[in-house]
Amino acid sequence: MAPFEIGETALVVEVPSAEPLVRGLRERYDPSAAYGMPAHVTVLYPFLPRERLDDGVLRALRDLFAARRPFEVVFGGVGRFPGALYFAPEPDGPLRELTEAVTACRPEAPPYGGRFGDIVPHLTVAEGLDGEAAAGLAADLAAGLPVTTFAGGVTLRVFDGEGWRAEGFFPLGEPPVAEFAFPGPLRDRLVAAILNGGKTATAGLLADYEHCGDPLPVAGRWTALADSAGRRVALLETTQVRVVPIRRSTRRSPVTRARGTRPSPSGGPRTSASGPARRCPQSWADRR
């Protein structure tokens, strides 16, 4: 029997850059991982039941998160709750503020049902451990730190009885625009390939970034994919960035995900998004 109720919802900041380090342990020691919940920091759980997520609630969430700025988080240490291990985010202030902002709007949905006082932002790695096992795993995990991510948005997940399904995404702030090639036939082909899953990676020369003084993409950053008409047709999430010699680069070197969005006016700086793109259904968060 699943340890979650059908229709439960959660608002989380997903941390794909932590997956290589924690996936195996989470699958073994974190019940949510077995039901499809990725590595994450919880913003609010449980949120409102699925049947209460009407257009007004979703619009309020979208506006609330859009008024916030994305931020970088570093997981540099292993913390312990009774029987559990977690990664501690630094700084944790922006994550606390997200929880406080949602709770202020929805006081009927306190964090963890109001069971705890002070809420400690954390990325759960393992639960149900005794002291000796926890100490050994903590030492092993610490050797793989730090892990850095860019918190670019909040994901709404719903438990449907079989797993935690992603059912909405709310960007923090306005995602910058990602443009592939110049407007015209080539861009049209590239955008179509991203949306249908045919284009699964992209790459650029490190020397170009250095020459222009541009920072490298970072895991967790979201950008808005623009078509030739300047419409935003998808959200791209960078989930992995690697710097390798050209002879070792492949189509699958970087990793991103794409979430469909409604068309909207183009704007923001030109950027590049790294990695394979996966077409996802249009999110509730993007409906008007």
Side-chain angles (χ1 to χ4, degrees):
M1 181 177 179
F4 310 103
E5 295 183 10
I6 295 176
E8 275 193 316
T9 65
L11 293 167
V12 301
V13 172
E14 298 182 3
V15 187
S17 57
E19 289 289 356
L21 181 58
V22 304
R23 182 182 294 112
L25 288 175
R26 291 189 67 248
E27 290 174 349
R28 185 175 178 184
Y29 294 112
D30 183 350
S32 72
Y35 290 92
M37 180 69 82
H40 67 280
V41 176
T42 299
V43 172
L44 189 59
Y45 167 82
F47 187 50
L48 301 180
R50 166 68 167 71
E51 62 270 16
R52 292 186 56 189
L53 299 182
D54 57 25
D55 289 342
V57 170
L58 298 172
R59 188 179 305 111
L61 285 176
R62 183 182 64 244
D63 293 344
L64 182 152
F65 292 125
R68 306 272 166 173
R69 295 177 63 86
F71 52 92
E72 186 174 272
V73 177
V74 178
F75 298 89
V78 180
R80 296 178 66 171
F81 294 134
L85 294 176
Y86 66 90
F87 288 165
E90 302 172 3
D92 67 359
L95 292 161
R96 289 178 181 269
E97 291 171 5
L98 292 178
T99 299
E100 292 167 356
V102 180
T103 304
C105 291
R106 290 289 169 180
E108 71 273 33
Y112 303 102
R115 289 182 294 151
F116 307 106
D118 184 38
I119 300 302
V120 179
H122 61 280
L123 189 161
T124 299
V125 178
E127 298 178 352
L129 302 173
D130 60 33
E132 184 176 347
L137 286 177
D140 292 341
L141 288 167
L145 297 177
V147 169
T148 301
T149 194
F150 188 82
V154 177
T155 300
L156 169 68
R157 286 189 173 263
V158 177
F159 187 70
D160 62 6
E162 296 182 358
W164 282 101
R165 184 182 68 255
E167 199 155 335
F169 178 77
F170 306 91
L172 296 175
E174 185 72 11
V177 173
E179 297 175 307
F180 289 81
F182 291 103
L186 177 57
R187 180 181 293 185
D188 293 340
R189 291 197 299 272
L190 292 172
V191 169
I194 290 172
L195 296 180
N196 67 27
K199 178 174 173 56
T200 59
T202 190
L205 291 176
L206 178 61
D208 286 344
Y209 284 93
E210 294 174 342
H211 177 74
C212 297
D214 293 335
L216 290 176
V218 295
R221 187 179 296 275
W222 289 84
T223 54
L225 176 66
D227 66 9
S228 290
R231 297 172 301 184
R232 302 185 182 201
V233 296
L235 290 175
L236 302 178
E237 182 189 17
T238 302
T239 58
Q240 184 183 29
V241 177
R242 293 193 297 159
V243 178
V244 299
I246 291 177
R247 64 180 179 276
R248 290 177 51 198
S249 64
T250 68
R251 291 184 180 181
R252 301 186 60 83
S253 290
V255 182
T256 63
R257 295 184 295 174
R259 298 180 187 271
T261 68
R262 71 172 186 90
S264 63
S266 179
R270 179 172 180 174
T271 68
S272 61
S274 298
R278 185 180 67 206
R279 180 72 163 85
C280 298
Q282 180 171 333
S283 162
W284 276 4
D286 301 306
R287 294 180 184 175
R288 298 295 193 275

